Amino acid sequence: MANAASGMAVHDDCKLKFLELKTKRTYRFIVFKIEEKQKQVIVEKLGEPTDSYEVFSASLPANECRYAVYDFDFMTEENVPRSRIVFIAWSPDVSKVRSKMIYASSKDRFKRELDGIQVELQATDPTEMGVDVIRSRTN
């Protein structure tokens, strides 16, 4: 396990599941959670390859911070199918200040553990991570 700057470790499962998403497309998305008692980032939820973006966004809690990666498929203006791996730092306005601070201070180190992220979003409410927002950032 690698130590994050905030003292949070990253569970090996996080890296393994991300690698499966990236290389084998085994999952559509992964939601990660900081387990404060164990001081480590763990996998909270895995999305099936057939899951929609709505299923993904519904899996993020309305009042707690999370990290997530989403395998976003889209068509270019030339009608070429493409895919981008999007990292989302989910930090709702209503979440606890302590939680926001822990997630913010651990984010960069955690992101470095996930090699292959192509787009990054910081979102405090669902409108900041809508499909249109992601599409505009992937071009």
Side-chain angles (χ1 to χ4, degrees), residues 119-132:
V119 179
E120 180 186 345
L121 289 176
Q122 172 78 38
T124 59
D125 72 66
T127 62
E128 294 177 354
M129 55 172 251
V131 173
D132 293 339

Side-chain angles (χ1 to χ4, degrees), residues 46-124:
L46 299 167
E48 295 298 318
T50 55
D51 282 351
S52 68
Y53 189 77
E54 289 71 31
V55 172
F56 162 66
S57 57
S59 67
L60 295 172
N63 59 352
E64 292 179 37
C65 299
R66 293 291 186 271
Y67 300 128
V69 289
Y70 185 82
D71 189 1
F72 183 70
D73 293 326
F74 64 101
M75 293 293 245
T76 64
E77 290 178 11
E78 296 82 30
N79 253 3
V80 179
R82 287 278 160 86
S83 174
R84 293 279 183 267
I85 297 175
V86 181
F87 178 87
I88 298 172
W90 174 245
S91 184
D93 289 330
V94 294
S95 58
K96 295 177 182 163
V97 173
R98 174 179 164 72
S99 178
K100 288 183 202 178
M101 289 172 56
I102 290 170
Y103 275 81
S105 64
S106 305
K107 181 183 78 168
D108 288 339
R109 178 71 172 102
F110 177 61
K111 229 176 62 190
R112 278 197 297 273
E113 297 288 330
L114 308 178
D115 185 39
I117 289 170
Q118 296 154 313
V119 179
E120 180 186 345
L121 289 176
Q122 172 78 38
T124 59

